[in-house]
Amino acid sequence: MKKLINGVDNVVDEMLNGMIAAHPDYVARVPGTEVLVRTGAKKTDKVVLISGGGSGHEPAHGGFVGEGMLDAAVAGAVFTSPTPDQVYEAIKASECGKGALLIIKNYTGDVMNFEMAAEMAEDEDIEVAKVVVADDVAVENSTWTTGRRGIAGTIFVHKIAGAKAEQGAGLAEVKAVAEKVIANVRSMGMAIAPCTVPAVGKPSFELTEEEVEIGIGIHGEPGTHREKVSSANATVDQLLDKILAEGIYNDGDEVAVMVNGMGGTPLSELYIANLEVANVLAGKGIKIAKTIVGNYMTSLDMEGFSISLLKLDDELKALLEAPADTPAFTQK
Amino acid sequence: MKKLINGVDNVVDEMLNGMIAAHPDYVARVPGTEVLVRTGAKKTDKVVLISGGGSGHEPAHGGFVGEGMLDAAVAGAVFTSPTPDQVYEAIKASECGKGALLIIKNYTGDVMNFEMAAEMAEDEDIEVAKVVVADDVAVENSTWTTGRRGIAGTIFVHKIAGAKAEQGAGLAEVKAVAEKVIANVRSMGMAIAPCTVPAVGKPSFELTEEEVEIGIGIHGEPGTHREKVSSANATVDQLLDKILAEGIYNDGDEVAVMVNGMGGTPLSELYIANLEVANVLAGKGIKIAKTIVGNYMTSLDMEGFSISLLKLDDELKALLEAPADTPAFTQK
């Protein structure tokens, strides 16, 4: 294993501190925790948004802490759910009287630990609401999941619910718009090459020089099947077919698109994939209002990508276009 | 070779069109060329900035076309200089009477072809100035270079000269500030694993499971030496030592830092490297005013990174902090 690290036990700690060193005006670490919060005085007047999960998905989730998106992010060990006490620390460090929304990707450990943290907070009379993102259409249950997995579509929840909270909405309203995003976002991914968890030291699965894995999860969990490598367009078509089969995205609809890199795939290839996404959607009369291309919900050094579609209405579109200013996503 | 492409002959064309499909409000293609310009009506009142080079370095350079940075970017074939006529097309498509500054990375082919394009433009009475970026301290001459190579430090030239041009400065002033950046920026990179040029179909060099290459170029050109893989900190220290040996960055100075990914290295590892950069500079009394971490000047799917330091004065700092809004770099 060749990695740019200083030892498998320091990866998360040093990654968090390196992010803070890069963006001191954006993020700060809650002392003694793996929690990042916004730099500066605690807010006094907004619903706070908290997300997180295992590390290894950078910039998710610490990179999305900032104006118009998250208030706190909790980093577990690599590909490991954060503990309830860490999530509770994030709630305590950020919540300011209007309640906290926990944005959870659907993995059994994450759901359980965020729920336990919510109970701890409620015992302290902090109002907490939860949403669970399960946007991955590849498989119904998987290695660490009952139901569908939560993957890159989660970023749309951060962005849109974050904008709603920034506008001063109450906890029920912010939760409602997060649920609306979840109802309208679907994703699917694939891998060309596996990732290597530092503490494991070898790839999480093996693919031959001819093979790719379709429907892969963001921890290298198995997908729907392996197949011989084909063209970018045929790969995109296959992922989109399954997303479009959900029946959510139809002629005349307006959508947002995310072409998300898994960490080891160059931007040039993501743009090539995006061109086919745009062409397929145009052919179906589906209008693209916004496209995001890049590494947003990664899987360490895995090579591959995912496609996410979000159906927009006027509310979601306006919130998606609202300003945001975070280490990993800024728009005017 | 497993890549997310549709054929080695379509890579640049589809990548450019995919970028446009993702960012139609930012970039448009000059018909019949590999030139991206800003979307919308041609400017009428500014010095225009034009950069480019071989493809394979995405988001460089098309991703930096937009407010506060470039006006046009020219994309050659992968790792191949754009032809003079393509550069000339970029000048014609963007220049609006105040002159054009060509920002050239120091490779023999790039320098020659941009210079020929400048002569073509001057024949049409378009005022053209040129700067050549040669920030890579690794080697003095190399495969495709007389003198030092131009690498990630070029992004600082785009940003700072771009801000100067946006403020209405004349061509001589914009060129002068670009030269000031070039005089004060130094970079050095390394690779853990090679890149594969699509048309070649195999890695551009070979490293064993234990080896890394120090001082690598952004086309996989040989660096200073190969060595056994060590820690992130030891690697950073080695690159920084060579950069600091330039004598430019001293106790009390203020700098900007870029930790640039080569395309296949996860953000988590870049942040780990950044932590050591911050620690080393703090130990030397060098203050960091701004840090940029991510994939900005890549080398296809190469795994590795580079460090760039830019010494700031009040002018450079203000221009670096000025707003920018492009597909790959936005700040408020």
Side-chain angles (χ1 to χ4, degrees):
Chain A
M1 175 182 69
K2 286 193 286 187
K3 282 184 180 289
L4 196 64
I5 63 175
N6 293 304
V8 298
D9 296 333
N10 310 331
V11 166
V12 174
D13 184 63
E14 292 183 355
M15 178 272 289
L16 292 174
N17 287 342
M19 187 182 286
I20 289 164
H23 310 289
D25 298 340
Y26 287 85
V27 286
R29 189 160 174 178
V30 178
T33 74
E34 280 74 52
V35 174
L36 297 187
V37 292
R38 297 190 194 184
T39 298
K42 195 168 167 176
K43 294 279 173 183
T44 57
D45 58 351
K46 77 180 289 286
V47 170
V48 297
L49 268 64
I50 298 163
S51 194
S55 291
H57 307 300
E58 293 69 27
H61 293 273
F64 302 114
V65 171
E67 190 190 323
M69 294 185 79
L70 301 179
D71 294 273
V74 195
V78 173
F79 293 173
T80 302
S81 300
T83 57
D85 66 294
Q86 290 285 316
V87 180
Y88 177 52
E89 292 288 344
I91 298 171
K92 279 198 300 181
S94 58
E95 204 275 336
C96 57
K98 287 190 74 170
L101 178 67
L102 308 186
I103 300 168
I104 310 165
K105 296 194 300 300
N106 189 36
Y107 298 97
T108 306
D110 285 31
V111 171
M112 188 172 67
N113 291 357
F114 276 77
E115 281 183 352
M116 286 174 64
E119 286 167 19
M120 293 161 75
E122 282 158 358
D123 286 347
E124 300 295 321
D125 291 326
I126 298 173
E127 197 182 4
V128 179
K130 304 175 296 281
V131 295
V132 178
V133 188
D135 55 319
D136 185 350
V137 302
V139 291
E140 289 303 321
N141 298 296
S142 74
T143 316
W144 295 300
T145 319
T146 303
R148 288 178 168 179
R149 300 175 296 214
I151 59 171
T154 308
I155 313 300
F156 283 127
V157 183
H158 297 350
K159 174 66 193 73
I160 287 173
K164 189 80 180 175
E166 212 73 58
Q167 291 173 358
L171 183 58
E173 292 173 285
V174 176
K175 180 181 178 183
V177 82
E179 296 283 17
K180 196 203 272 190
V181 175
I182 292 168
N184 286 287
V185 69
R186 295 291 185 279
S187 305
M188 188 162 160
M190 64 83 67
I192 288 176
C195 56
T196 299
V197 174
V200 176
K202 60 179 187 182
S204 53
F205 58 98
E206 303 271 353
L207 292 172
T208 69
E209 262 308 299
E210 294 288 302
E211 269 180 334
V212 300
E213 175 112 16
I214 304 293
I216 197 88
I218 57 172
H219 311 92
E221 312 97 301
T224 58
H225 65 284
R226 289 184 183 183
E227 62 180 35
K228 193 167 177 305
V229 60
S230 63
S231 68
N233 287 358
T235 305
V236 165
D237 293 353
Q238 184 176 181
L239 302 184
L240 270 183
D241 274 352
K242 192 136 182 178
I243 293 171
L244 293 170
E246 296 282 298
I248 296 175
Y249 315 98
N250 299 300
D251 193 353
D253 285 344
E254 200 166 21
V255 300
V257 170
M258 179 180 292
V259 176
N260 172 64
M262 292 298 191
T265 292
L267 193 53
S268 51
E269 297 181 27
L270 300 180
Y271 278 128
I272 289 171
N274 181 60
L275 181 63
E276 178 66 1
V277 174
N279 286 339
V280 169
L281 295 183
K284 294 186 181 295
I286 299 169
K287 184 171 177 236
I288 300 172
K290 186 177 183 71
T291 303
I292 297 171
V293 178
N295 291 306
Y296 292 97
M297 179 73 76
T298 62
S299 181
L300 296 168
D301 53 346
M302 190 153 80
E303 293 175 45
F305 76 112
S306 63
I307 301 169
S308 300
L309 296 188
L310 169 64
K311 185 162 86 171
L312 298 170
D313 61 11
D314 289 346
E315 180 189 30
L316 295 185
K317 190 175 171 184
L319 292 167
L320 183 59
E321 291 294 351
D325 193 13
T326 75
F329 188 82
T330 295
Q331 70 184 16
K332 293 166 97 170
Chain B
M1 173 182 69
K2 286 192 287 184
K3 282 185 180 289
L4 195 64
I5 62 175
N6 293 303
V8 298
D9 295 333
N10 311 329
V11 166
V12 174
D13 184 64
E14 293 183 355
M15 178 271 289
L16 292 174
N17 288 341
M19 186 181 285
I20 289 164
H23 310 290
D25 298 340
Y26 288 84
V27 285
R29 189 161 174 177
V30 179
T33 74
E34 281 73 53
V35 174
L36 297 188
V37 292
R38 298 191 194 183
T39 299
K42 196 168 169 176
K43 295 278 173 186
T44 57
D45 57 351
K46 77 181 287 288
V47 170
V48 297
L49 269 64
I50 298 165
S51 194
S55 291
H57 306 301
E58 292 72 26
H61 292 272
F64 302 113
V65 171
E67 192 191 321
M69 294 185 77
L70 301 179
D71 294 274
V74 195
V78 174
F79 292 174
T80 303
S81 300
T83 57
D85 65 295
Q86 290 285 314
V87 180
Y88 178 52
E89 292 288 343
I91 298 170
K92 279 197 301 180
S94 59
E95 203 275 336
C96 58
K98 288 190 73 170
L101 179 68
L102 308 186
I103 301 169
I104 310 165
K105 297 194 301 299
N106 188 35
Y107 298 98
T108 306
D110 286 30
V111 171
M112 187 172 67
N113 291 355
F114 276 76
E115 281 183 353
M116 286 175 64
E119 286 166 19
M120 292 162 75
E122 283 157 358
D123 286 345
E124 301 294 321
D125 292 325
I126 298 173
E127 196 183 5
V128 179
K130 304 174 296 281
V131 295
V132 178
V133 187
D135 55 319
D136 186 350
V137 302
V139 290
E140 288 304 320
N141 297 298
S142 74
T143 316
W144 296 299
T145 318
T146 303
R148 288 177 169 181
R149 302 174 295 214
I151 58 171
T154 309
I155 313 298
F156 283 126
V157 183
H158 296 350
K159 174 66 192 74
I160 287 173
K164 190 81 180 175
E166 212 72 60
Q167 292 173 359
L171 184 58
E173 293 174 285
V174 176
K175 180 182 177 182
V177 83
E179 296 283 16
K180 196 202 274 188
V181 175
I182 291 168
N184 286 286
V185 68
R186 296 292 186 276
S187 306
M188 186 162 162
M190 63 82 67
I192 288 176
C195 55
T196 299
V197 175
V200 176
K202 60 180 187 182
S204 52
F205 57 99
E206 302 270 353
L207 292 171
T208 69
E209 262 307 300
E210 294 289 303
E211 268 180 336
V212 301
E213 174 111 17
I214 304 294
I216 195 88
I218 57 172
H219 312 93
E221 311 96 302
T224 58
H225 64 284
R226 290 185 182 183
E227 62 180 36
K228 193 166 177 303
V229 60
S230 64
S231 68
N233 287 359
T235 305
V236 165
D237 293 354
Q238 184 175 180
L239 301 185
L240 270 183
D241 274 352
K242 192 135 183 176
I243 293 171
L244 293 170
E246 296 282 301
I248 298 175
Y249 316 99
N250 299 301
D251 193 353
D253 285 344
E254 200 166 22
V255 298
V257 170
M258 180 181 292
V259 177
N260 172 63
M262 293 297 191
T265 291
L267 192 54
S268 51
E269 296 180 29
L270 299 180
Y271 278 127
I272 288 170
N274 181 61
L275 181 63
E276 178 67 1
V277 174
N279 287 338
V280 169
L281 296 184
K284 295 188 181 294
I286 299 169
K287 184 171 177 234
I288 300 171
K290 185 175 184 70
T291 302
I292 297 171
V293 178
N295 291 305
Y296 292 97
M297 180 72 78
T298 63
S299 183
L300 294 169
D301 53 345
M302 189 151 81
E303 292 174 48
F305 76 112
S306 64
I307 300 169
S308 300
L309 297 187
L310 169 65
K311 186 161 88 168
L312 297 171
D313 61 11
D314 289 346
E315 180 189 29
L316 295 185
K317 189 174 172 185
L319 292 168
L320 183 59
E321 291 294 352
D325 193 13
T326 75
F329 188 81
T330 295
Q331 69 184 15
K332 294 166 95 169

